[in-house]
Amino acid sequence: MRVRTLSVLLCFALTLSPAEAAGKQVRLAYVEWADAVAATTILKQVLEEKGYTVKTVPLAAAAMWQAVATGDADASVAAWLPVTQAAYHDKLKDRLELLGPNVTGAKIGWVVPAFSPLTSIEDLKTRAAEVDGKVIGIDPGAGVMKSSEAAIKAYGLPVRLVDGSDATMTSALKNAIRQRKDVVVTGWTPHWMFARYELKYLTDPKKVFGEDESVNTIVRKGLKDDLPEVYTILRKFKLGIEDEEAMMAQNEERGAKPDETAAKWIAGHRATVDSWLK
């Protein structure tokens, strides 16, 4: 993971433009999840309006945090706390700066179609066969996967957590809904699937997945002194869950381009964007 971080950031160093050489380069790291893609693309375009050259690089969650902590990246707006990425924050909090939430009311847990008779994680103790004894997950290093493993143990469930990706998880969900079959997937809000399908979270009486989450902005040490305007924009950067989920859903349409989706959102929310730039 560290090797990938270094190789990507070496590319940054070898492609400096005149603007970057003059101290106008900003490097944004993010996890390649739909919400992070939408938020990072918006921020990139906003910073470009102010004359910055912005480099963005997708990394695994651990590498993203490490890149900001080492100063290889300037910032990320994809840090999930207090549960999902708590391990990374606890390890690196003294080597970076946490600016606080850019999205509030976020959530992680297990998600089922709205028509599912399942209502609680505890239901799977006796009804696991109805979902083929599986919980469909994403990449194994994700925080929601670690919490899912803990949930299986905490509730003593006869289910298997299936590794995959965001794409394979949502494909399994789409197929199950189309066939009117039950399925349990790892989920989080904001996510475009909530804008497209009728879904619900299974209740979590043991609170293994925690309470409400937030998506946070983290920056490297020294950014405030080196790039004070960028620091101020990052501190003010905020998005609503509904807006983000709508953008994510648009990005899932055939032929959609995140850059175009972000540009349309910025044009339609000019007052919000201008408030970040004051």
Side-chain angles (χ1 to χ4, degrees):
M1 214 175 274
R2 179 62 179 156
V3 171
R4 184 184 176 200
T5 305
L6 289 173
S7 64
V8 170
L9 292 164
L10 179 59
C11 292
F12 283 155
L14 295 176
T15 56
L16 291 177
S17 69
E20 293 169 325
K24 297 286 282 185
Q25 177 191 22
V26 180
R27 299 157 298 178
L28 301 176
Y30 67 102
V31 182
E32 204 166 16
W33 296 337
D35 62 305
V37 170
T40 303
T41 306
I42 288 173
L43 180 59
K44 177 179 184 290
Q45 293 187 13
V46 169
L47 290 172
E48 287 173 343
E49 280 188 25
K50 299 297 289 184
Y52 295 92
T53 298
V54 182
K55 301 286 187 180
T56 61
V57 57
L59 296 169
M64 177 191 78
W65 280 81
Q66 185 70 24
V68 177
T70 59
D72 290 333
D74 293 301
S76 175
V77 291
W80 280 67
L81 295 170
V83 175
T84 308
Q85 295 174 357
Y88 308 132
H89 176 252
D90 291 345
K91 180 180 179 180
L92 299 169
K93 61 185 177 183
D94 294 333
R95 298 170 57 192
L96 50 76
E97 185 177 354
L98 175 65
L99 296 189
N102 57 66
V103 174
T104 57
K107 182 180 176 69
I108 63 171
W110 286 354
V111 174
V112 297
F115 59 72
S116 172
L118 302 173
T119 60
S120 171
I121 293 175
E122 290 183 319
D123 293 343
L124 291 169
K125 288 181 180 179
T126 57
R127 305 177 73 170
E130 297 177 21
V131 293
D132 297 326
K134 299 176 183 177
V135 174
I136 309 300
I138 56 171
D139 49 294
V144 70
M145 292 293 279
K146 295 178 181 178
S147 294
S148 292
E149 292 168 355
I152 290 171
K153 292 179 181 179
Y155 288 96
L157 302 178
V159 298
R160 178 169 61 93
L161 181 62
V162 180
D163 293 347
S165 65
D166 188 7
T168 58
M169 178 273 288
T170 52
S171 178
L173 177 65
K174 176 183 177 181
N175 290 337
I177 291 174
R178 186 172 58 226
Q179 298 171 38
R180 198 74 180 178
K181 291 177 59 178
D182 213 348
V183 67
V184 179
V185 303
T186 56
W188 58 94
T189 306
H191 193 289
W192 63 265
M193 62 186 180
F194 288 94
R196 182 168 296 179
Y197 307 118
E198 292 292 326
L199 305 171
K200 63 183 180 182
Y201 281 96
L202 294 180
T203 61
D204 176 19
K206 296 182 183 293
K207 304 297 183 185
V208 177
F209 290 98
E211 303 289 351
D212 281 354
E213 290 274 276
S214 60
V215 188
N216 291 260
T217 301
I218 54 175
V219 302
R220 65 172 173 82
K221 292 283 190 179
L223 182 69
K224 185 176 182 179
D225 295 327
D226 299 339
L227 295 168
E229 182 178 50
V230 173
Y231 180 91
T232 299
I233 292 170
L234 285 164
R235 185 171 52 80
K236 293 181 177 181
F237 180 74
K238 302 283 188 298
L239 291 172
I241 284 180
E242 295 80 6
D243 283 341
E244 202 167 28
E245 287 183 341
M247 282 186 289
M248 286 186 274
Q250 291 173 35
N251 284 338
E252 291 300 313
E253 297 295 334
R254 187 184 301 275
K257 297 179 180 179
D259 284 345
E260 294 176 358
T261 303
K264 290 178 182 177
W265 187 90
I266 290 170
H269 297 78
R270 195 65 245 179
T272 296
V273 173
D274 288 343
S275 73
W276 304 338
L277 302 178
K278 290 180 180 177

